[in-house]
Amino acid sequence: MKNLKFYVDKSGVKLARIFVNGVPSAIHNTFLCDALEGDFQSTDSCELYLGALKKIALGKEEVAIWSGNAYEITARASGVKFENLHTEEIGGEIPLHELVFSLACWGEFLEGPSEEGLEKSIPDNLDMVRAVVLDTILSWTSKEWRTGS
C-alpha cells in the first residue's frame, strides 16, 4: 500500500512524502515529492498540469511535458519520467495515476490551512483515481478544468 503524507515543517515549508508499506519510498521521495515541492507552488500550477494529464488519461493527447524550477516531467499513458534539471538525473518512473492523484492532493493541501497536514492512500489504478480524485479536485479547481471546457 502506498500512502502520501503532506505536512508543514517547523520553518513553515510545505513538504511531501510517500510511504510504501510504511517505509519511505526512495523513488517517490527523490523525484515525485521533490518535484511537487519545487515545481508546484500554487493550485494554479497544479491545475494547469492536471489539465494536460486529463487529456492523456482520456486519450486525447499522447504526452504532457512540464518544465518547472527543478524538474522536467514527461507523462504518457504508459508512465511518467522525471528529469532533474540541475543534475540531469533521469528516473523515478511511476504510473500516470500516481502522478494524477498526488498532484490533485498536493493542490488540495496547498489550498487548505497551512498548519494542517494531509494523508491519503494512493489508489491502485486510474479508474480508482478518477473516483477518488473527483471529490478532491472539485474542492479547489476551476469549473473549466472539471468540465473540460
Side-chain angles (χ1 to χ4, degrees), residues 40 42-54 66 103-104 106-108 110-111 137 140-147 149:
F40 297 95
S42 70
T43 57
D44 289 341
S45 59
C46 295
E47 187 175 338
L48 184 64
Y49 199 44
L50 278 170
L53 297 175
K54 177 182 173 183
W66 177 271
L103 189 57
W106 183 250
E108 177 185 11
L110 292 176
E111 184 73 11
I137 291 173
W140 60 267
T141 58
S142 69
K143 181 181 177 188
E144 291 78 23
W145 191 90
R146 295 188 306 265
T147 61
S149 303

Side-chain angles (χ1 to χ4, degrees), residues 69-120:
N69 298 318
Y71 284 88
E72 181 172 281
I73 304 169
T74 303
R76 301 180 192 295
S78 60
V80 180
K81 290 183 184 177
F82 297 82
E83 178 181 356
N84 185 309
L85 297 173
H86 303 289
T87 66
E88 297 182 6
E89 181 180 14
I90 298 174
E93 290 187 45
I94 63 170
L96 178 64
H97 75 273
E98 291 182 5
L99 175 60
V100 170
F101 186 77
S102 299
L103 189 57
C105 292
W106 183 250
E108 177 185 11
F109 176 61
L110 292 176
E111 184 73 11
S114 62
E115 67 277 357
E116 292 184 23
L118 179 70
E119 289 189 51
K120 293 195 178 190

Side-chain angles (χ1 to χ4, degrees), residues 1-136:
M1 172 179 275
K2 293 179 187 167
N3 295 305
L4 56 82
K5 180 179 181 179
F6 300 143
Y7 62 97
V8 180
D9 72 5
K10 292 177 184 176
S11 62
V13 176
K14 292 188 175 189
L15 299 173
R17 295 293 175 267
I18 294 182
F19 299 85
V20 177
N21 298 323
V23 178
S25 170
I27 289 175
H28 289 89
N29 291 328
T30 301
F31 293 96
L32 174 59
C33 293
D34 196 31
L36 291 173
E37 296 166 4
D39 292 342
F40 297 95
Q41 298 294 312
S42 70
T43 57
D44 289 341
S45 59
C46 295
E47 187 175 338
L48 184 64
Y49 199 44
L50 278 170
L53 297 175
K54 177 182 173 183
K55 290 177 184 175
I56 292 174
L58 294 173
K60 294 180 179 181
E61 297 285 341
E62 290 190 25
V63 65
I65 298 173
W66 177 271
S67 289
N69 298 318
Y71 284 88
E72 181 172 281
I73 304 169
T74 303
R76 301 180 192 295
S78 60
V80 180
K81 290 183 184 177
F82 297 82
E83 178 181 356
N84 185 309
L85 297 173
H86 303 289
T87 66
E88 297 182 6
E89 181 180 14
I90 298 174
E93 290 187 45
I94 63 170
L96 178 64
H97 75 273
E98 291 182 5
L99 175 60
V100 170
F101 186 77
S102 299
L103 189 57
C105 292
W106 183 250
E108 177 185 11
F109 176 61
L110 292 176
E111 184 73 11
S114 62
E115 67 277 357
E116 292 184 23
L118 179 70
E119 289 189 51
K120 293 195 178 190
S121 294
I122 299 174
D124 293 330
N125 58 54
L126 195 54
D127 289 333
M128 292 174 71
V129 167
R130 284 185 184 116
V132 174
V133 168
L134 186 60
D135 289 336
T136 298

